[in-house]
Amino acid sequence: MLFAGQSVSEEAAQLAYALSLVHTPGTEAGECVSFLANSTEEGISAAVKLARHTAARCGRSGQVLVIDPTQSLVQYFDPVGDGLTDALAPGVRSVDSVTAAGDVLSAEAWAGVLIVLAADFDGRSEDTARLLSAAAAGGAMRIVCDRRPIPGATGDHRLPAAGIDADVWVHGENLTDNQVPFGCSVMTRRAYAVWNNPVDCLAHSSTFDAFARYVSPPAAGLLEAFGLDFDIKQARGSTLTMRDGRTLLDCAGGAGANLRGHNPPEVRATVAAHDPTHDYFADLEKYLTTLTGFDYAFPAVSGATCVETALTLARLAYPERKTIVTFRGNYSGKTLGSLSMSKHGPQRSATIPEAFRPHYANLVYIDPLAPNATHELKRALDRGDVGLVWFELIQGMSCWAISPDLVDVVAERKRTDGFLVGVDEVLTGGWRTGESFLAHFAAIGSADLTTLAKPLSDMTIPMAVMLCSGDVAKRADRHDPALVERLRYGYRHGLAAHVALDALGAVNTEEQHARRRHEYSATTELNITKSATEPGSSRK
């Protein structure tokens, strides 16, 4: 899946080069490595994971100290207020000033110190410099997050945050004037060292692209070794045109995420007709409600962020039920919240175990392939404090299907025990597995939350949604209406919703469904024929 979806975009390479220049002006280009993401939070996840991995390599704790004057990130790490140990993204302590940070800095061997800049806190005081110096002396990675508006030309060719001596700088939608979703982590090559090898370079995804020198040198080497270092000039439908004139047929469909192929021409018409004053997300939510029966659609910018929203709502809906039951083999993303659901996936994302610890503490993993899987699942559900069962029907990294027997146990126990069920449909949603828009309808009709991502926008703009029932939303709202409101609107983006609305409408026609059925039938017949003629087959 990784290699099928990676490509070298000239514009993204230029962006990574520019990010290096504006953080290290006057030095040789290429002093920094950048991870490109879809939001500030995704950029922060990359930076915190880098700090934790570096600390784990040295045998140190993964605790992170955050100096955040406005406390803007507290609920991202700990939405329910469960505390340092039980938070959804545990091990993060947040204080509101440099003074408060100084009081606790020496009390812990911190993996990282993260400073969040604010309107009246630019991080350039002598006290801040001394704190960061002490943090570095103690082995902590120094991270600066700047989501403030970028000033106009000042004669200084650096971004404002680059004036702070740090190891990693995080930016978000401020680099796009808050017009489109965006995030990035820009790190020195010294900070990047722990990921500078062929295994660990994949420890955190760069959603858009991977490049030699400015993004991920080892990953570029892997692409070259597999013959997948494509220099793509143009992508249309299933055809990829190389800069040297060669054409390739993309049978992987952008790692299974394309809805209508690469760069469908209809998207241009959607953009041309876009009305910024119209609420397209409200239209999209209504359309998805009609398609699925779910009551609410919460916006997101990636599969990982919609999983984080689902986990947050589930915790808000049942704050006293902390346990989440899931299956080994899940792939739900690599951000701090979603990572716990992916912890026991088959992908090897780090050369050392527990590189990104601590993970969510109240998780029970069931091996769906074990002979006693049904017994272990029932025993886990007997705990009495299960708030959510989360899984993929078809696991994203291996394509193993969860046994119907296990799904039946979940459905039956949900009726008697009252926990929530969440099904990740990032891989399977959008009519990709049968007649239904969502795959889980045929397996378990009582899911409370589900997730959809890249197919919603033909992979042209970051877009995802988390669908949930009215009961879940109302329960969560009773616990923390302000946070629910933020989740309802924080990632809301009119153009992305407009593209998604038009994309779904274009394929939800009788003609398109008939074509899909025909192609599925032809593929099935081809597979049967191939199986019958393989050596050892009893059929000829």
Side-chain angles (χ1 to χ4, degrees):
M1 289 187 67
L2 170 75
F3 294 121
Q6 294 290 325
S7 62
V8 175
S9 157
E10 182 177 345
E11 292 80 9
Q14 292 169 349
L15 172 59
Y17 173 73
L19 287 169
S20 182
L21 288 181
V22 296
H23 285 87
T24 55
T27 62
E28 180 183 354
E31 289 298 311
C32 293
V33 173
S34 299
F35 277 80
L36 308 180
N38 303 311
S39 66
T40 305
E41 291 79 9
E42 286 191 356
I44 289 170
S45 286
V48 170
K49 286 176 61 182
L50 181 70
R52 285 180 166 173
H53 197 167
T54 303
R57 179 73 65 87
C58 303
R60 299 200 321 274
S61 160
Q63 306 294 320
V64 174
L65 177 62
V66 178
I67 300 118
D68 184 2
T70 64
Q71 298 290 278
S72 60
L73 293 174
V74 169
Q75 289 186 310
Y76 175 67
F77 300 117
D78 186 9
V80 185
D82 286 322
L84 192 66
T85 302
D86 288 341
L88 198 57
V92 179
R93 179 166 181 176
S94 185
V95 296
D96 61 6
S97 68
V98 172
T99 300
D103 293 339
V104 299
L105 184 66
S106 60
E108 181 83 37
W110 302 97
V113 173
L114 166 62
I115 293 181
V116 183
L117 304 183
D120 55 353
F121 176 61
D122 65 5
R124 298 190 185 213
S125 69
E126 292 184 4
D127 289 343
T128 303
R130 283 194 293 268
L131 178 80
L132 290 177
S133 178
M141 187 165 288
R142 300 162 300 170
I143 306 165
V144 176
C145 174
D146 191 2
R147 60 206 319 181
R148 301 171 302 168
I150 301 301
T154 61
D156 185 350
H157 297 293
R158 291 184 301 183
L159 288 173
I164 302 173
D165 188 17
D167 304 297
V168 186
W169 299 269
V170 177
H171 301 279
E173 294 77 9
N174 56 337
L175 294 191
T176 64
D177 285 333
N178 292 301
Q179 296 299 302
V180 292
F182 181 76
C184 66
S185 297
V186 184
M187 61 203 71
T188 66
R189 288 194 174 271
R190 182 177 179 181
Y192 178 70
V194 72
W195 286 350
N196 193 18
N197 64 72
V199 175
D200 294 312
C201 70
L202 307 178
H204 190 81
S205 357
S206 183
T207 301
F208 297 135
D209 306 274
F211 306 96
R213 192 171 185 184
Y214 298 113
V215 176
S216 183
L222 285 174
L223 291 172
E224 183 178 4
F226 280 89
L228 295 170
D229 53 333
F230 302 136
D231 186 6
I232 300 173
K233 179 181 179 182
Q234 188 180 69
R236 291 287 184 272
S238 298
T239 302
L240 306 178
T241 302
M242 305 299 107
R243 203 167 298 278
D244 62 9
R246 291 179 301 150
T247 59
L248 298 175
L249 181 64
D250 178 13
C251 297
N258 276 350
L259 187 69
R260 296 182 291 177
H262 296 284
N263 299 311
E266 295 87 353
V267 171
R268 182 170 298 187
T270 297
V271 173
H274 183 68
D275 177 5
T277 65
H278 185 77
D279 189 353
Y280 291 98
F281 193 86
D283 295 343
L284 176 64
E285 182 176 49
K286 183 177 179 180
Y287 190 73
L288 288 170
T289 297
T290 302
L291 281 175
T292 67
F294 282 97
D295 299 299
Y296 293 100
F298 282 67
V301 291
S302 66
T305 54
C306 61
V307 169
E308 288 185 326
T309 297
L311 299 178
T312 297
L313 274 187
R315 290 291 300 114
L316 290 174
Y318 287 102
E320 72 286 355
R321 293 188 174 195
K322 295 184 177 182
T323 297
I324 298 175
V325 176
T326 190
F327 295 106
R328 290 178 177 267
N330 281 337
Y331 181 75
S332 295
K334 294 186 177 182
T335 55
L336 293 175
S338 65
L339 181 66
S340 291
M341 302 298 111
S342 307
K343 178 182 174 183
H344 291 296
Q347 73 281 6
R348 186 184 182 193
S349 61
T351 52
I352 59 175
E354 297 296 316
F356 310 120
R357 78 279 180 275
H359 299 280
Y360 182 60
N362 301 290
L363 269 169
V364 178
Y365 294 96
I366 306 298
D367 182 354
L369 302 180
N372 63 340
T374 301
H375 171 75
E376 290 299 313
L377 175 59
K378 290 179 178 178
R379 189 169 74 165
L381 298 177
D382 285 339
R383 294 168 58 102
D385 65 343
V386 175
L388 173 68
V389 177
W390 180 265
F391 60 97
E392 296 173 291
L393 281 170
I394 301 174
Q395 297 189 327
M397 292 300 293
S398 64
C399 289
W400 283 104
I402 297 295
S403 165
D405 292 340
L406 295 174
V407 177
D408 288 345
V409 169
V410 173
E412 177 61 31
R413 292 296 295 270
K414 172 181 166 56
R415 285 190 286 271
T416 59
D417 298 358
F419 52 74
L420 302 178
V421 172
V423 182
D424 188 336
E425 293 251 21
V426 169
L427 177 67
T428 54
W431 298 288
R432 284 180 286 174
T433 57
E435 290 299 302
S436 178
F437 178 70
L438 295 176
H440 77 264
F441 288 160
I444 180 170
S446 55
D448 302 282
L449 310 110
T450 193
T451 52
L452 295 166
K454 292 179 179 69
L456 289 177
S457 66
D458 294 303
M459 296 181 69
T460 59
I461 188 170
M463 176 63 189
V465 295
M466 189 283 297
L467 303 173
C468 75
S469 68
D471 181 63
V472 171
K474 290 173 184 176
R475 283 178 173 271
D477 191 71
R478 285 198 294 268
H479 185 82
D480 192 335
L483 179 53
V484 173
E485 182 80 357
R486 187 188 309 172
L487 294 173
R488 285 278 288 162
Y489 292 96
Y491 288 127
R492 206 166 174 125
H493 188 260
L495 179 58
H498 191 179
V499 171
L501 190 64
D502 284 3
L504 292 175
V507 299
N508 188 23
T509 66
E510 188 51 46
E511 179 184 1
Q512 289 296 321
H513 287 311
R515 180 179 178 182
R516 175 177 52 79
R517 295 186 195 101
H518 173 75
E519 292 172 351
Y520 177 78
S521 175
T523 303
T524 303
E525 183 177 344
L526 178 63
N527 288 336
I528 293 173
T529 302
K530 180 181 177 182
S531 176
T533 56
E534 286 178 347
S537 173
S538 60
R539 298 176 61 190
K540 297 298 181 184

